[in-house]
Amino acid sequence: VLPSSSCVNETCVMHRQYNISKSNTAKAIDVDGSAVQPDELCDQVSINYGTGKVKGEFAKEQVCPGGDTSACVELNIVMAVEMSDQPF
């Protein structure tokens, strides 16, 4: 779960935020992993933790630890569009 740049509540803005539009490798996906069509809204998920919750959208992103392109992996992530104050 990463705070999205579209999340504007205080809990999100106090953390570094992920901006899908600034990535060359990211794409919005639905819960089943299929690409979101340009004219459609993507699926959302609510995740409840012991003392808080996150509402988010799905994305697929390529991550290269340490900038090593030979170690790149593709990950499905949740971009938080709303985060509760606690526990974050």
Side-chain angles (χ1 to χ4, degrees), residues 2-21:
L2 301 172
S4 171
S5 60
S6 66
C7 183
V8 295
N9 69 336
E10 185 178 341
T11 308
C12 287
V13 297
M14 69 171 32
H15 298 285
R16 291 178 57 191
Q17 293 176 284
Y18 174 78
N19 188 336
I20 191 171
S21 66

Side-chain angles (χ1 to χ4, degrees), residues 11 14-15 47-54 83-88:
T11 308
M14 69 171 32
H15 298 285
I47 303 169
N48 294 307
Y49 295 95
T51 58
K53 69 179 188 174
V54 170
M83 294 173 69
S84 61
D85 292 339
Q86 296 296 323
F88 309 105

Side-chain angles (χ1 to χ4, degrees), residues 58-75:
F58 300 96
K60 185 172 287 200
E61 176 65 282
Q62 182 177 327
V63 177
C64 304
D68 179 2
T69 56
S70 68
C72 294
V73 293
E74 200 167 73
L75 299 175

Side-chain angles (χ1 to χ4, degrees), residues 7-42:
C7 183
V8 295
N9 69 336
E10 185 178 341
T11 308
C12 287
V13 297
M14 69 171 32
H15 298 285
R16 291 178 57 191
Q17 293 176 284
Y18 174 78
N19 188 336
I20 191 171
S21 66
K22 290 188 176 182
S23 173
N24 294 328
T25 58
K27 57 185 158 200
I29 60 171
D30 283 326
V31 68
D32 65 359
S34 62
V36 175
Q37 300 305 309
D39 59 339
E40 293 181 6
L41 298 174
C42 62

